[in-house]
Coordinates of all heavy atoms in Angstrom, one line a residue:
K262 N 127.6 176.7 149.1 CA 126.2 176.9 148.6 C 125.3 175.8 149.0 O 124.1 176.0 149.4 CB 126.2 177.1 147.1 CG 124.9 177.2 146.4 CD 125.0 177.1 144.9 CE 123.6 177.1 144.2 NZ 123.7 177.0 142.8
L263 N 125.8 174.5 148.9 CA 125.0 173.4 149.3 C 124.6 173.4 150.8 O 123.5 173.1 151.1 CB 125.8 172.1 149.0 CG 125.1 170.8 149.4 CD1 123.7 170.6 148.6 CD2 126.0 169.6 149.2
V264 N 125.6 173.8 151.6 CA 125.3 173.9 153.0 C 124.2 174.9 153.3 O 123.3 174.7 154.1 CB 126.6 174.4 153.8 CG1 126.3 174.6 155.3 CG2 127.7 173.3 153.7
G265 N 124.2 176.1 152.5 CA 123.1 177.0 152.7 C 121.8 176.5 152.2 O 120.8 176.8 152.8
L266 N 121.8 175.7 151.1 CA 120.6 175.1 150.6 C 120.0 174.1 151.6 O 118.8 174.1 151.8 CB 120.8 174.5 149.3 CG 121.1 175.4 148.1 CD1 121.6 174.6 146.9 CD2 120.0 176.3 147.8
M267 N 120.9 173.3 152.2 CA 120.4 172.4 153.2 C 119.9 173.1 154.4 O 118.8 172.7 154.9 CB 121.6 171.4 153.6 CG 122.1 170.6 152.4 SD 123.7 169.7 152.8 CE 123.2 168.6 154.2
A268 N 120.5 174.1 154.8 CA 120.0 174.9 156.0 C 118.7 175.5 155.7 O 117.8 175.6 156.5 CB 121.0 175.9 156.4
T269 N 118.5 176.0 154.4 CA 117.2 176.6 154.0 C 116.1 175.6 154.2 O 115.0 176.0 154.7 CB 117.3 177.1 152.6 OG1 118.4 178.1 152.5 CG2 116.0 177.7 152.2
R270 N 116.3 174.4 153.7 CA 115.2 173.4 153.9 C 115.0 173.0 155.3 O 113.8 172.9 155.8 CB 115.6 172.1 153.1 CG 114.5 171.0 153.2 CD 114.9 169.9 152.3 NE 114.0 168.8 152.4 CZ 112.8 168.6 151.8 NH1 112.4 169.6 151.0 NH2 112.1 167.6 151.9
A271 N 116.1 172.8 156.1 CA 115.9 172.4 157.5 C 115.2 173.5 158.3 O 114.3 173.2 159.1 CB 117.3 172.1 158.1
V272 N 115.6 174.8 158.1 CA 115.0 175.9 158.9 C 113.5 176.0 158.4 O 112.7 176.3 159.2 CB 115.8 177.2 158.7 CG1 115.0 178.4 159.3 CG2 117.1 177.1 159.3
G273 N 113.3 175.8 157.1 CA 111.9 175.8 156.7 C 111.0 174.8 157.4 O 109.9 175.2 157.8
F274 N 111.5 173.6 157.5 CA 110.7 172.6 158.3 C 110.6 173.0 159.8 O 109.6 172.8 160.4 CB 111.4 171.3 158.2 CG 111.1 170.5 157.0 CD1 112.0 170.1 156.0 CD2 109.8 170.1 156.7 CE1 111.7 169.4 154.9 CE2 109.4 169.4 155.6 CZ 110.4 169.1 154.7
L275 N 111.7 173.6 160.3 CA 111.7 174.0 161.7 C 110.6 175.1 161.9 O 109.8 175.0 162.9 CB 113.1 174.5 162.1 CG 113.2 175.0 163.6 CD1 112.9 174.0 164.6 CD2 114.6 175.6 163.8
V276 N 110.6 176.1 161.1 CA 109.6 177.2 161.2 C 108.2 176.6 161.1 O 107.3 177.0 161.8 CB 109.9 178.3 160.2 CG1 108.8 179.3 160.1 CG2 111.2 179.0 160.5
R277 N 108.0 175.7 160.1 CA 106.7 175.2 159.9 C 106.3 174.4 161.2 O 105.1 174.5 161.6 CB 106.7 174.2 158.7 CG 105.3 173.7 158.4 CD 105.4 172.7 157.3 NE 106.0 171.5 157.8 CZ 106.2 170.4 157.0 NH1 105.9 170.4 155.7 NH2 106.8 169.3 157.5
N278 N 107.2 173.6 161.8 CA 106.9 172.9 163.0 C 106.6 173.8 164.2 O 105.7 173.5 165.0 CB 108.0 171.9 163.3 CG 108.1 170.8 162.3 OD1 107.2 170.5 161.6 ND2 109.3 170.2 162.2
E279 N 107.4 174.9 164.2 CA 107.1 175.8 165.3 C 105.8 176.5 165.2 O 105.0 176.6 166.2 CB 108.2 176.9 165.3 CG 109.6 176.4 165.8 CD 110.7 177.4 165.6 OE1 110.5 178.4 164.9 OE2 111.7 177.3 166.3
R280 N 105.4 176.8 164.0 CA 104.1 177.5 163.8 C 103.0 176.5 164.1 O 102.0 176.9 164.6 CB 104.1 178.0 162.3 CG 102.7 178.6 162.0 CD 102.7 179.3 160.7 NE 101.5 180.1 160.5 CZ 101.3 180.9 159.5 NH1 102.3 181.2 158.6 NH2 100.1 181.5 159.3
Q281 N 103.2 175.2 163.6 CA 102.2 174.2 163.9 C 102.0 174.0 165.4 O 100.9 173.9 165.9 CB 102.6 172.9 163.2 CG 101.5 171.8 163.3 CD 100.3 172.2 162.6 OE1 100.3 172.6 161.5 NE2 99.1 172.1 163.3
A282 N 103.1 174.0 166.1 CA 103.1 173.8 167.6 C 102.3 175.0 168.2 O 101.5 174.8 169.1 CB 104.5 173.7 168.2
I283 N 102.6 176.2 167.8 CA 101.9 177.4 168.3 C 100.4 177.3 168.0 O 99.5 177.6 168.8 CB 102.5 178.7 167.8 CG1 103.9 178.8 168.3 CG2 101.7 179.9 168.1 CD1 104.7 180.0 167.8
E284 N 100.1 176.9 166.7 CA 98.7 176.8 166.3 C 98.0 175.7 167.1 O 96.8 175.9 167.6 CB 98.6 176.5 164.8 CG 99.0 177.7 163.9 CD 98.8 177.3 162.5 OE1 98.3 176.2 162.2 OE2 99.2 178.2 161.6
D285 N 98.7 174.6 167.4 CA 98.1 173.5 168.2 C 97.8 174.0 169.6 O 96.8 173.7 170.2 CB 99.0 172.3 168.2 CG 99.1 171.6 166.8 OD1 98.2 171.9 166.0 OD2 100.0 170.8 166.6
A286 N 98.8 174.8 170.2 CA 98.6 175.3 171.5 C 97.5 176.3 171.6 O 96.7 176.3 172.5 CB 99.9 175.9 172.0
E287 N 97.4 177.1 170.6 CA 96.3 178.1 170.6 C 95.0 177.4 170.4 O 94.0 177.8 171.0 CB 96.6 179.1 169.4 CG 95.5 180.2 169.3 CD 95.4 181.1 170.5 OE1 96.4 181.2 171.3 OE2 94.4 181.7 170.7
R288 N 95.0 176.4 169.5 CA 93.7 175.7 169.3 C 93.3 175.0 170.6 O 92.1 174.9 170.9 CB 93.9 174.6 168.2 CG 92.6 174.0 167.7 CD 92.9 173.0 166.5 NE 93.4 173.7 165.4 CZ 94.6 173.7 164.9 NH1 95.5 173.0 165.5 NH2 94.9 174.4 163.8
Q289 N 94.3 174.4 171.3 CA 94.0 173.8 172.6 C 93.5 174.8 173.6 O 92.6 174.5 174.4 CB 95.2 173.0 173.1 CG 95.0 172.3 174.4 CD 94.0 171.2 174.3 OE1 93.8 170.6 173.2 NE2 93.4 170.8 175.4
R290 N 94.1 176.0 173.6 CA 93.6 177.0 174.5 C 92.2 177.4 174.2 O 91.4 177.5 175.1 CB 94.5 178.2 174.4 CG 94.2 179.3 175.4 CD 94.9 180.6 175.1 NE 94.3 181.2 173.9 CZ 93.1 181.9 173.9 NH1 92.4 182.1 175.0 NH2 92.7 182.4 172.8
V291 N 91.9 177.6 172.9 CA 90.5 177.9 172.5 C 89.6 176.8 172.9 O 88.4 177.1 173.4 CB 90.4 178.2 171.0 CG1 89.0 178.4 170.6 CG2 91.3 179.5 170.7
R292 N 90.0 175.6 172.7 CA 89.2 174.4 173.1 C 88.9 174.4 174.6 O 87.8 174.1 175.0 CB 89.9 173.1 172.7 CG 89.2 171.9 173.1 CD 89.9 170.6 172.6 NE 89.4 169.4 173.3 CZ 88.3 168.8 173.1 NH1 87.5 169.2 172.1 NH2 88.0 167.7 173.7
E293 N 90.0 174.6 175.4 CA 89.8 174.6 176.8 C 88.9 175.7 177.3 O 88.1 175.5 178.2 CB 91.2 174.7 177.5 CG 92.0 173.5 177.4 CD 93.4 173.7 177.9 OE1 93.7 174.8 178.3 OE2 94.2 172.7 177.9
V294 N 89.0 176.9 176.7 CA 88.1 178.0 177.0 C 86.6 177.6 176.7 O 85.7 177.8 177.5 CB 88.5 179.3 176.2 CG1 87.4 180.3 176.4 CG2 89.8 179.8 176.8
A295 N 86.4 177.0 175.5 CA 85.1 176.6 175.1 C 84.6 175.5 176.0 O 83.4 175.5 176.4 CB 85.1 176.1 173.7
L296 N 85.4 174.5 176.4 CA 85.0 173.5 177.4 C 84.6 174.1 178.7 O 83.6 173.6 179.3 CB 86.1 172.5 177.5 CG 86.4 171.5 176.4 CD1 87.7 170.7 176.6 CD2 85.2 170.6 176.1
E297 N 85.4 175.1 179.2 CA 85.0 175.7 180.4 C 83.7 176.4 180.3 O 82.8 176.4 181.3 CB 86.1 176.7 180.9 CG 85.9 177.5 182.1 CD 85.6 176.6 183.3 OE1 86.1 175.4 183.4 OE2 85.0 177.1 184.3
R298 N 83.5 177.1 179.2 CA 82.2 177.8 179.0 C 81.0 176.8 178.9 O 80.0 177.0 179.5 CB 82.3 178.7 177.8 CG 83.2 179.8 177.9 CD 83.3 180.6 176.5 NE 82.0 181.2 176.2 CZ 81.8 181.8 175.0 NH1 82.8 181.9 174.1 NH2 80.6 182.3 174.7
K299 N 81.3 175.7 178.3 CA 80.3 174.6 178.2 C 80.0 174.0 179.6 O 78.8 173.8 179.9 CB 80.8 173.5 177.2 CG 79.7 172.4 177.0 CD 78.6 172.9 176.2 CE 77.7 171.8 175.7 NZ 77.1 171.0 176.7
R300 N 81.0 173.8 180.4 CA 80.8 173.3 181.7 C 80.0 174.3 182.5 O 79.1 173.9 183.2 CB 82.2 173.1 182.4 CG 82.1 172.4 183.8 CD 83.4 172.6 184.5 NE 83.7 174.0 184.8 CZ 83.1 174.7 185.8 NH1 82.2 174.1 186.6 NH2 83.4 175.9 186.0
R301 N 80.3 175.6 182.5 CA 79.5 176.6 183.2 C 78.1 176.6 182.7 O 77.1 176.7 183.5 CB 80.2 177.9 183.1 CG 81.4 178.1 183.9 CD 82.3 179.2 183.6 NE 81.6 180.4 183.1 CZ 82.2 181.4 182.4 NH1 83.5 181.2 182.1 NH2 81.5 182.4 182.0
Q302 N 77.9 176.5 181.4 CA 76.6 176.5 180.8 C 75.8 175.3 181.3 O 74.6 175.4 181.7 CB 76.6 176.5 179.3 CG 75.3 176.6 178.6 CD 75.4 176.4 177.1 OE1 75.7 175.3 176.6 NE2 75.2 177.5 176.3
D303 N 76.4 174.1 181.3 CA 75.7 172.9 181.8 C 75.4 173.0 183.2 O 74.3 172.6 183.7 CB 76.6 171.7 181.6 CG 76.8 171.3 180.1 OD1 76.0 171.8 179.3 OD2 77.7 170.6 179.8
A304 N 76.3 173.6 184.0 CA 76.0 173.8 185.4 C 74.8 174.8 185.6 O 73.9 174.5 186.5 CB 77.2 174.4 186.2
E305 N 74.7 175.8 184.8 CA 73.6 176.7 184.9 C 72.3 176.0 184.5 O 71.3 176.2 185.1 CB 73.8 177.9 183.9 CG 74.9 178.9 184.4 CD 74.5 179.7 185.6 OE1 73.4 180.3 185.6 OE2 75.2 179.6 186.7
K306 N 72.4 175.2 183.5 CA 71.2 174.4 183.1 C 70.7 173.5 184.2 O 69.5 173.4 184.5 CB 71.5 173.6 181.8 CG 71.6 174.5 180.5 CD 71.9 173.6 179.3 CE 72.0 174.4 178.1 NZ 72.3 173.5 176.9
Q307 N 71.6 172.8 184.8 CA 71.3 171.9 185.9 C 70.7 172.7 187.1 O 69.7 172.3 187.7 CB 72.5 171.1 186.4 CG 73.0 170.1 185.3 CD 74.3 169.4 185.8 OE1 74.7 169.6 186.9 NE2 74.8 168.6 184.9
R308 N 71.3 173.9 187.4 CA 70.8 174.7 188.5 C 69.4 175.2 188.2 O 68.5 175.2 189.1 CB 71.8 175.8 188.7 CG 71.5 176.7 189.9 CD 72.5 177.7 190.1 NE 72.3 178.5 191.3 CZ 72.9 179.6 191.6 NH1 74.0 180.0 190.8 NH2 72.7 180.3 192.7
L309 N 69.2 175.6 186.9 CA 67.9 176.1 186.5 C 66.8 175.0 186.6 O 65.7 175.2 187.0 CB 67.9 176.7 185.1 CG 66.6 177.2 184.6 CD1 66.0 178.3 185.5 CD2 66.8 177.8 183.1
A310 N 67.2 173.8 186.1 CA 66.3 172.7 186.1 C 65.9 172.3 187.5 O 64.7 172.0 187.8 CB 67.0 171.5 185.4
K311 N 66.9 172.3 188.5 CA 66.6 172.1 189.9 C 65.6 173.1 190.4 O 64.7 172.8 191.2 CB 67.8 172.0 190.7 CG 67.6 171.6 192.2 CD 68.9 171.6 192.9 CE 68.7 171.2 194.4 NZ 67.7 172.1 195.1
L312 N 65.9 174.4 190.0 CA 65.0 175.5 190.5 C 63.6 175.3 190.0 O 62.6 175.5 190.8 CB 65.6 176.8 190.0 CG 64.7 178.1 190.4 CD1 64.7 178.2 191.9 CD2 65.3 179.3 189.8
E313 N 63.4 174.9 188.8 CA 62.1 174.6 188.2 C 61.4 173.5 188.9 O 60.2 173.5 189.2 CB 62.2 174.3 186.7 CG 62.6 175.6 185.9 CD 62.8 175.2 184.4 OE1 63.0 174.0 184.1 OE2 62.8 176.1 183.6
V314 N 62.2 172.4 189.2 CA 61.6 171.3 189.9 C 61.2 171.7 191.3 O 60.1 171.3 191.8 CB 62.6 170.1 190.0 CG1 62.1 169.0 190.9 CG2 62.8 169.6 188.6
D315 N 62.0 172.5 192.0 CA 61.7 172.9 193.4 C 60.5 173.8 193.3 O 59.6 173.7 194.2 CB 62.9 173.7 194.0 CG 64.1 172.8 194.3 OD1 63.9 171.6 194.4 OD2 65.2 173.3 194.6
A316 N 60.4 174.7 192.3 CA 59.2 175.5 192.2 C 57.9 174.7 192.0 O 56.9 175.0 192.6 CB 59.4 176.6 191.1
Q317 N 58.1 173.7 191.2 CA 56.9 172.8 190.9 C 56.5 172.1 192.2 O 55.3 171.9 192.5 CB 57.2 171.9 189.7 CG 57.4 172.6 188.4 CD 57.9 171.6 187.3 OE1 58.1 170.5 187.6 NE2 58.1 172.2 186.1
N318 N 57.5 171.5 192.9 CA 57.2 170.8 194.1 C 56.6 171.7 195.2 O 55.7 171.3 195.9 CB 58.5 170.1 194.6 CG 58.9 169.0 193.8 OD1 58.1 168.4 193.1 ND2 60.2 168.6 193.8
W319 N 57.1 173.0 195.2 CA 56.6 173.9 196.2 C 55.1 174.2 195.9 O 54.2 174.2 196.7 CB 57.4 175.2 196.2 CG 56.8 176.3 197.1 CD1 57.0 176.4 198.4 CD2 56.0 177.4 196.7 NE1 56.3 177.5 198.9 CE2 55.7 178.1 197.8 CE3 55.4 177.8 195.4 CZ2 54.9 179.3 197.8 CZ3 54.6 178.9 195.4 CH2 54.3 179.6 196.6
R320 N 54.8 174.4 194.5 CA 53.4 174.6 194.1 C 52.6 173.4 194.4 O 51.4 173.5 194.9 CB 53.4 174.9 192.6 CG 52.0 175.0 192.0 CD 51.2 176.1 192.7 NE 51.8 177.4 192.6 CZ 51.4 178.5 193.2 NH1 50.4 178.4 194.1 NH2 51.9 179.6 193.1
R321 N 53.1 172.2 194.2 CA 52.3 170.9 194.6 C 52.0 170.9 196.1 O 50.9 170.6 196.5 CB 53.2 169.7 194.2 CG 53.3 169.4 192.7 CD 54.2 168.3 192.5 NE 53.8 167.1 193.1 CZ 54.6 166.0 193.4 NH1 55.9 166.1 193.1 NH2 54.1 164.9 193.9
A322 N 53.0 171.2 196.9 CA 52.8 171.2 198.3 C 51.8 172.3 198.7 O 50.9 172.0 199.6 CB 54.1 171.5 199.1
Q323 N 51.8 173.4 198.1 CA 50.8 174.5 198.4 C 49.4 174.0 198.0 O 48.4 174.3 198.7 CB 51.2 175.8 197.7 CG 52.5 176.4 198.2 CD 52.4 176.8 199.6 OE1 52.8 176.1 200.5 NE2 51.7 178.0 199.9

Side-chain angles (χ1 to χ4, degrees):
K262 174 185 175 182
L263 178 62
V264 175
L266 293 172
M267 294 170 65
T269 300
R270 179 174 175 85
V272 172
F274 276 118
L275 177 62
V276 169
R277 186 187 67 181
N278 292 337
E279 288 175 343
R280 181 169 184 171
Q281 185 64 49
I283 292 174
E284 290 182 4
D285 291 344
E287 180 64 20
R288 190 178 294 109
Q289 181 63 24
R290 186 194 69 80
V291 172
R292 172 179 167 79
E293 290 174 355
V294 169
L296 287 174
E297 176 60 21
R298 292 176 64 186
K299 184 68 168 59
R300 185 195 65 78
R301 284 163 36 198
Q302 184 186 70
D303 291 344
E305 289 290 303
K306 288 180 179 179
Q307 292 176 5
R308 188 177 180 185
L309 178 59
K311 183 179 183 303
L312 178 62
E313 291 175 341
V314 171
D315 288 346
Q317 292 171 1
N318 288 337
W319 177 82
R320 175 57 62 189
R321 288 174 61 200
Q323 293 298 97

